[in-house]
Amino acid sequence: MGLTGAEARRRLGEFGPNTVGEEAPKRWRVLLAKFWGPIPWMLEAAILLQLGLAEYVEAAVIGGLLLFNATLGFVQEGRAGAALAALRKRLAPTALVRRDGEWVRLPASELVPGDFVRLPLGALVPADAVIVSGSVLVDQSMLTGESVPVEAGAGSLAYAGSLVRRGQAIAEVKATGSRTYFGRAAELVRIARSTSTEQAAVFAATRNLALVNGTVAILIVAYAWVVALPSGDLLRLALTALLATIPVALPATFTLSAAFGAQTLARRGVLLTRLSAAHEAAAMDVLCADKTGTLTRNALGVVDVVAMPGFDRERVLALAKLASSEADQDPIDAAVRAAAGDAAAAERLVRFVPFDPATKMSEAFALDRDGSELRIAKGAFHAVAELAQMPEGARGTVDVLAGRGHRVIAVAAGSSSLLRLAGLIALSDPPRDDSAALIGALRGLGVRTVMVTGDAAVTAAAIAHEVGVEGEVAAPAAIGDEPDIDKFGVFARVVPEEKFRLVRSLQRAGHVVGMCGDGTNDAPALRQAQIGIAVSSATDVAKAAAGMVMTEPGLGGIVDAVREGRVGFQRLLTYTFNMLVKKIEIVLFLAVGLTLTGHPVMTPVLMVLMLMTNDFLAMSLTTDRASPSVSPSRWRMRDITGAAIALGACKLVFSTAMLVFGAFALKLGPGEMQTFAFVTLVFGAQAVLYVVRERRSMWSSRPSPWVLTASAIDIGIVSTLALSGIFMEPLPWRVIVGALGAVAVFAAILDRIKLPVIARFKVE
């Protein structure tokens, strides 16, 4: 029995080490990726144009903004590859292996198919192996989702990563590394990817801006070329239009909003391992919840005792306690002893026979006060029924209890030759106290809960009924891309690959999916879901694969995450809406200004100043007061862009009127006109910010202190620069005060126009 060292080395070369492979990206590659994308491309193009025009200071400023965005995103990705690293650690570091005729302890990574390993009590199974001798009780709930440990005797397969709870055995290794049940889960974690609603929103906002403003910018440059604008001015105009289009602070704002949400949730016992999880929670409309250890306690307990004639509940439990072991880790015996409590039988225990997988029973022999012997048998009903007299209706009672999802054991007592059934004990993994309330609260927020479990359909249906999960019970064969997948509320007998496929099927059906789990078997689905949620008792594997980890017992943090995510969504919606209105209007304003005055009304340096003031100070909206919506929040960028165009057109009318007033009433020169246009755009942007931050009247709520502070800083900086003539021609203070007054009137008018626009495009 066992391999030689030479044969083991040959097989190690053939099959590879017993480890889960990982291809972690180089950190420098991750950083470089931050400079690749629509927004970085536009910033990089602007830098090249500025260098070509010898505008080195402006190029350095834009380069700093580009570096700021890249660094902020890079710092938030420190957990790259953490799920696979945790999966590798889960494998036993050493194993007792038979090599060259001797038992030796070797690193588990050196195991190969054909090795014989010893599995003692308390050991982690180091690879998928078939039991060749002995028997063990293995806990594989974290792998398969089965709530009850399973008996593994000769010929049975024990999975890598499962825990030996009782007995000992010798097993032959059949699969190692990525070919194990455990390793297949690791491979699914590696390939699992989901489309982020946050990334989709940033891309859609950038795309819509590029389509609208890009078309206008091309027309501006074409018009300037037709009217024979000097080549230097033409390039500066093109650069100004490009800078006006770039939503430079958009990625940083999304990251900042998520960071604020993460801080709030951390105080409520929710840790975000990926910042984007805060935003994904806002859009989630389906939560796939694992049963064992998530909706239930993952601990067997006695839920019912049915005493037969001549016995009562206390007597049945006292007898069962005598036939239960105190020494090993059998969860059934532990549950029986806990239920029996201090109840003690009148008999004195003389001999105990531990549970035997072959007979499916344990036995106890005791003496009463008169010295008569009492034999007690405890185990599977069919095994006890072969030894004891069964009262009429006992089998029907067993069927009823099993139909409720319980595991049933029988207890019989009597003389050595005549046993009578004393009673039936029903055990189950009961729901958590907060599960029903959680599912009800999520339903009120428009989130449907689906139970996904490796347990039997009967057990799953019983628990689903208790906690309020609605829908039909589906077999694994129902998982796919069927259009009626939404009719199911429970998916039973589901393995990791099928949980993974279920999440993908729901995503393909248009759902934003959350996955809540606690075991290794949940890791692939946790990784694939837009928002993976690991409970506090989860394995390291599940926590590493998830985007959100509950740090305190209970599931209330999920509801907190949804509400906080929707608050963050409202703030980001306001920022994005505000940004689109401004960006669309600015490029159109450049076209109108060029047509009216015959020269550019903005310069690249003024546009850079606008990026520094308006764009980045508007990030204060991530701290603004907001209320969560009662339904999942989705980015409907077409409607948001339509509303932004409508309000942007209104602002364009105001800015054009101010431009005409400055040119013909105030008789401003070309340089002063550029300063006046800059002041008008900046002050007008402040008006838009306060108008769009509320979907109702802008007076409906008070802005946060940070928003008010950012506005004061913005207006103060711009007014100081315009009065002093730094980077621009100076303007009299009366003109600046007049512009502020005009903007205040415009804000009141725009606030009335906003209400029908918001209703028409359903921006909420």
Side-chain angles (χ1 to χ4, degrees):
M1 183 175 66
L3 301 176
T4 64
E7 177 62 16
R9 287 190 293 273
R10 186 192 70 78
R11 295 190 184 190
L12 187 63
E14 178 183 353
F15 295 102
N18 182 33
T19 58
V20 178
E22 175 186 12
E23 295 180 4
K26 303 291 186 183
R27 295 297 285 161
W28 63 269
R29 287 183 180 272
V30 175
L31 179 59
L32 285 182
K34 300 302 175 187
F35 296 92
W36 186 261
I39 294 177
W41 291 338
M42 288 189 283
L43 288 171
E44 287 153 6
I47 293 171
L48 291 176
L49 278 174
Q50 285 170 323
L51 291 175
L53 294 169
E55 295 176 347
Y56 302 117
V57 174
E58 291 86 344
V61 172
I62 297 299
L65 298 179
L66 176 64
L67 186 61
F68 173 78
N69 277 338
T71 303
L72 194 62
F74 175 74
V75 168
Q76 301 303 330
E77 294 187 1
R79 290 182 172 266
L84 291 177
L87 282 165
R88 284 207 312 271
K89 292 177 182 177
R90 179 74 178 172
L91 289 173
T94 61
L96 273 173
V97 189
R98 185 80 170 177
R99 290 278 177 86
D100 295 317
E102 296 182 0
W103 289 102
V104 294
R105 185 169 294 278
L106 296 175
S109 60
E110 296 182 13
L111 290 181
V112 296
D115 267 329
F116 284 83
V117 295
R118 190 184 295 277
L119 304 177
L121 174 68
L124 281 176
V125 180
D128 285 2
V130 173
I131 307 296
V132 294
S133 66
S135 65
V136 289
L137 181 73
V138 289
D139 182 350
Q140 51 194 29
S141 60
M142 292 302 182
L143 295 168
T144 65
E146 294 175 307
S147 56
V148 179
V150 298
E151 297 289 344
S156 299
L157 178 65
Y159 294 125
S162 56
L163 176 67
V164 177
R165 299 288 296 271
R166 184 183 64 211
Q168 60 178 339
I170 295 175
E172 182 182 0
V173 173
K174 292 297 182 181
T176 58
S178 61
R179 289 172 294 278
T180 62
Y181 185 97
F182 181 89
R184 291 197 299 274
E187 178 63 15
L188 287 176
V189 170
R190 187 184 69 81
I191 66 175
R193 292 293 182 271
S194 62
T195 301
S196 166
T197 57
E198 174 185 318
Q199 293 172 352
V202 172
F203 177 79
T206 308
R207 178 199 61 203
N208 291 356
L209 268 180
L211 289 174
V212 176
N213 285 3
T215 302
V216 176
I218 291 172
L219 293 176
I220 291 173
V221 174
Y223 175 79
W225 182 76
V226 169
V227 298
L229 200 68
S231 59
D233 291 343
L234 185 63
L235 284 174
R236 288 182 177 85
L237 180 62
L239 176 59
T240 303
L242 176 61
L243 290 172
T245 302
I246 304 172
V248 62
L250 188 64
T253 303
F254 271 72
T255 301
L256 188 63
S257 171
F260 287 149
Q263 291 176 0
T264 301
L265 289 173
R267 292 192 291 270
R268 299 176 184 174
V270 181
L271 174 66
L272 300 186
T273 62
R274 288 193 295 274
L275 282 183
S276 61
H279 300 151
E280 306 299 343
M284 180 176 70
D285 62 341
V286 173
L287 174 66
C288 295
D290 176 53
K291 179 185 75 68
T292 306
T294 302
L295 295 177
T296 66
R297 300 173 184 173
N298 195 20
L300 279 180
V302 173
V303 294
D304 198 2
V305 178
V306 180
M308 296 294 119
F311 298 88
D312 57 24
R313 183 181 190 278
E314 289 71 21
R315 178 61 172 164
V316 172
L317 287 173
L319 292 171
K321 183 178 180 181
L322 283 174
S324 298
S325 170
E326 296 183 49
D328 60 29
Q329 304 179 50
D330 190 308
I332 293 178
D333 286 358
V336 167
R337 297 186 69 84
D342 296 330
E347 295 77 14
R348 177 174 57 85
L349 182 66
V350 175
R351 183 164 60 95
F352 173 70
V353 181
F355 182 86
D356 185 348
T359 63
K360 302 292 184 184
M361 290 191 310
S362 62
E363 292 186 85
F365 296 88
L367 295 177
D368 62 17
R369 292 188 179 92
D370 298 329
S372 301
E373 186 179 69
L374 178 70
R375 180 187 179 191
I376 306 159
K378 174 177 69 72
F381 176 79
H382 66 84
V384 175
E386 294 179 359
L387 301 176
Q389 293 180 348
M390 292 289 119
E392 185 177 352
R395 189 170 297 276
T397 303
V398 171
D399 292 339
V400 170
L401 293 173
R404 295 173 184 168
H406 303 319
R407 181 165 182 173
V408 183
I409 61 172
V411 181
S415 65
S416 297
S417 58
L418 181 62
L419 292 175
R420 284 195 306 145
L421 182 67
L424 302 171
I425 299 177
L427 302 104
S428 184
D429 179 14
R432 299 179 64 94
D433 296 335
D434 58 354
S435 292
L438 163 77
I439 291 171
L442 288 174
R443 188 183 298 115
L445 291 169
V447 180
R448 183 170 67 96
T449 302
V450 173
M451 180 189 289
V452 189
T453 179
D455 228 327
V458 172
T459 304
I463 296 296
H465 177 73
E466 287 190 56
V467 300
V469 172
E470 300 172 348
E472 300 179 19
V473 179
I479 299 176
D481 298 326
E482 295 87 350
D484 60 349
I485 194 171
D486 289 338
K487 73 179 182 182
F488 299 113
V490 178
F491 291 86
R493 287 296 183 194
V494 177
V495 300
E497 291 91 338
E498 289 161 348
K499 290 185 179 184
F500 174 76
R501 283 200 298 119
L502 173 61
V503 170
R504 286 206 304 187
S505 295
L506 289 168
Q507 289 170 335
R508 288 170 181 165
H511 295 291
V512 176
V513 183
M515 174 69 198
C516 184
D518 72 328
T520 300
N521 62 315
D522 300 317
L526 287 169
R527 189 70 166 182
Q528 176 65 29
Q530 279 97 342
I531 173 170
I533 307 163
V535 298
S536 60
S537 58
T539 64
D540 290 342
V541 177
K543 290 178 179 179
M548 181 180 295
V549 178
M550 306 291 109
T551 60
E552 297 178 1
L555 303 173
I558 298 176
V559 177
D560 289 335
V562 170
R563 289 176 175 153
E564 184 61 32
R566 293 183 185 179
V567 168
F569 175 86
Q570 290 299 319
R571 292 167 175 161
L572 287 176
L573 175 60
T574 298
Y575 176 86
T576 305
F577 190 21
N578 170 64
M579 180 270 298
L580 287 172
V581 171
K582 293 188 300 184
K583 295 294 183 182
I584 290 170
E585 183 253 351
I586 288 174
V587 176
L588 291 171
F589 180 69
L590 293 178
V592 171
L594 180 63
T595 305
L596 285 177
T597 65
H599 61 80
V601 292
M602 289 286 287
T603 64
V605 67
L606 292 178
M607 195 58 67
V608 170
L609 286 174
M610 285 195 67
L611 293 179
M612 295 296 294
T613 53
N614 270 358
D615 283 28
F616 276 92
L617 287 176
M619 291 169 66
S620 61
L621 286 170
T622 57
T623 69
D624 201 12
R625 294 180 174 89
S627 300
S629 63
V630 295
S631 58
S633 302
R634 298 291 186 91
W635 287 100
R636 296 189 295 272
M637 290 307 302
R638 180 176 297 180
D639 292 333
I640 297 171
T641 304
I645 291 174
L647 295 187
C650 295
K651 187 170 185 296
L652 178 64
V653 171
F654 168 75
S655 300
T656 302
M658 292 290 286
L659 191 67
V660 171
F661 181 79
F664 298 103
L666 299 178
K667 306 294 185 183
L668 299 177
E672 292 174 319
M673 279 294 294
Q674 289 176 338
T675 304
F676 188 62
F678 170 66
V679 169
T680 298
L681 289 173
V682 173
F683 289 176
Q686 288 298 314
V688 170
L689 184 148
Y690 285 99
V691 169
V692 304
R693 62 171 292 274
E694 263 290 351
R695 312 297 178 258
R696 302 164 294 172
S697 168
M698 67 176 174
W699 311 113
S700 299
S701 66
R702 190 173 63 182
S704 72
W706 282 108
V707 171
L708 294 172
T709 301
S711 289
I713 293 173
D714 194 12
I715 293 172
I717 290 174
V718 171
S719 299
T720 300
L721 294 176
L723 286 169
S724 61
I726 300 174
F727 301 124
M728 63 194 79
E729 291 290 328
L731 286 178
W733 67 268
R734 293 182 180 84
V735 174
I736 296 175
V737 172
L740 271 175
V743 163
V745 174
F746 166 68
I749 297 172
L750 186 65
D751 193 46
R752 304 308 302 171
I753 297 173
K754 171 196 68 179
L755 298 177
V757 171
I758 291 289
R760 164 64 181 81
F761 290 97
K762 298 179 181 179
V763 179
E764 56 187 18

